């Protein structure tokens, strides 16, 4: 059984070939991807289109397997919601994205879970700023 298989079974989602492919693309990526990126990497192998990908991503997001992060550049980024998930630092002038390699919210999440009894499945956090190149031109 593959890793993708296990992930889907764990949350009672049917293991379809398309969901598995999307998960494996996300699993193999070092950075968050847009639905267009995912389409680029999967359409050659199976008959995928953007609406199929949206539907699959929504199901995966609802189950907390995938993190959905709207960004200031107008795109929505997806990544696997694991311990190594990353946040983004975005330049508000040129939309350059730098990945933040740690999640500063783990402790807050744990405290919130204890306080409220919620099982937290995801969160959104994006930093905005001005990159060094843009700062030079100001
Ligand atoms: Zn910039
Ligand atoms: Zn986080």
């Amino acid at each position: 059984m593959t890793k993708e298989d296990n992930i889907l079974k764990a949350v009672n989602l049917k293991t379809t070939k398309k969901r598995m492919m999307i998960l494996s693309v996300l699993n193999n990526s070092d950075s968050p991807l847009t639905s267009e990126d995912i389409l680029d990497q999967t359409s050659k192998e199976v008959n995928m289109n953007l609406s199929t990908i949206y539907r699959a991503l929504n199901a995966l997001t609802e189950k907390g397997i995938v993190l959905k992060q709207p960004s200031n550049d107008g795109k929505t980024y997806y990544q696997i919601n694991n311990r190594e998930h990353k946040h983004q630092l975005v330049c508000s002038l040129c939309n350059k994205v730098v990945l933040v390699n740690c999640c500063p919210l783990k402790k807050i999440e744990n405290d919130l879970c204890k306080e409220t009894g919620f099982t937290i499945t995801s969160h959104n956090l994006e930093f905005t700023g001005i990159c060094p190149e843009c700062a030079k031109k100001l």
Side-chain angles (χ1 to χ4, degrees), residues 67 69 79 81-83 85-87 102-106 109 122-125:
L67 278 180
Q69 298 182 304
Q79 64 181 317
N81 184 18
N82 58 15
R83 278 168 203 289
H85 75 258
K86 299 179 174 85
H87 292 280
C102 65
C103 176
L105 296 180
K106 275 177 197 130
E109 260 192 14
S122 75
H123 57 247
N124 289 316
L125 175 69

Side-chain angles (χ1 to χ4, degrees), residues 3-114:
K3 193 165 150 193
E4 286 78 27
D5 236 345
N6 285 327
I7 296 175
L8 289 170
K9 290 223 168 77
V11 294
N12 290 322
L13 273 183
K14 238 172 83 194
T15 49
T16 65
K17 196 174 177 194
K18 288 173 183 177
R19 283 177 185 157
M20 305 254 288
M21 289 212 54
I22 291 171
L23 279 179
S24 94
V25 169
L26 288 171
N27 262 329
N28 292 323
S29 167
D30 294 330
S31 54
L33 299 173
T34 66
S35 45
E36 285 84 4
D37 296 333
I38 297 171
L39 181 64
D40 276 351
Q41 295 185 41
T42 53
S43 57
K44 279 153 246 146
E45 295 171 59
V46 276
N47 194 15
M48 290 272 220
N49 57 47
L50 267 185
S51 64
T52 321
I53 290 178
Y54 277 129
R55 252 181 288 132
L57 283 172
N58 277 338
L60 296 169
T61 307
E62 266 170 39
K63 295 287 185 182
I65 302 172
V66 166
L67 278 180
K68 178 179 176 178
Q69 298 182 304
S71 170
N72 283 343
D73 61 11
K75 295 178 191 155
T76 302
Y77 289 88
Y78 297 89
Q79 64 181 317
I80 299 283
N81 184 18
N82 58 15
R83 278 168 203 289
E84 294 89 45
H85 75 258
K86 299 179 174 85
H87 292 280
Q88 303 190 115
L89 167 59
V90 183
C91 174
S92 55
L93 297 177
C94 70
N95 287 331
K96 176 188 169 141
V97 174
V98 172
L99 291 173
V100 180
N101 277 320
C102 65
C103 176
L105 296 180
K106 275 177 197 130
K107 189 181 179 309
I108 300 174
E109 260 192 14
N110 281 340
D111 292 349
L112 262 180
C113 287
K114 271 186 217 136

